Amino acid sequence: MGPVRRIAQIVHLKPSAVAAYKECHANVWPEVLQQIKDCNIKDYSIFFDNDRTLFATFKYVGTDFEGDMELMRANPKIREWWAMTDGMQDSPIPGAVSSADGPGWWKVLDEVFYTE
């Protein structure tokens, strides 16, 4: 296991999708949960500011982040999940296409402070 890497991201939720987004995340598909685990992601949380911003945070505990993200993108069930959830969101990334393709979907944030 490599050093823990903390990652935080944001994306915007469409107002019309709040209930559906919360519902699908209350019943995340088992294949999605397994792939997250298999890609060395721990302590994954998504928060909603009850306006429009979703804030996600997780710890990456593997040694090949890009390789693990390629494995994630290659999983057809993950791509199906992302197609569903991307339709509920507006990306803050200029030129964003989807979670599976393009320059990214969730905007990665810079960490400016941390304490244990």
Side-chain angles (χ1 to χ4, degrees), residues 1 8 31 36 65 75 108:
M1 179 167 46
E31 301 92 341
I36 289 169
F65 183 75
N75 183 320
V108 177

Side-chain angles (χ1 to χ4, degrees), residues 3-20:
V4 174
R5 179 176 169 189
R6 292 179 307 278
I7 297 171
Q9 307 168 308
I10 61 167
V11 76
H12 301 299
L13 188 59
K14 294 177 181 176
S16 61
V18 172

Side-chain angles (χ1 to χ4, degrees), residues 103-114:
W105 189 254
W106 286 68
K107 181 180 180 180
V108 177
L109 305 178
D110 291 331
E111 184 175 81
V112 295
F113 179 76
Y114 173 76

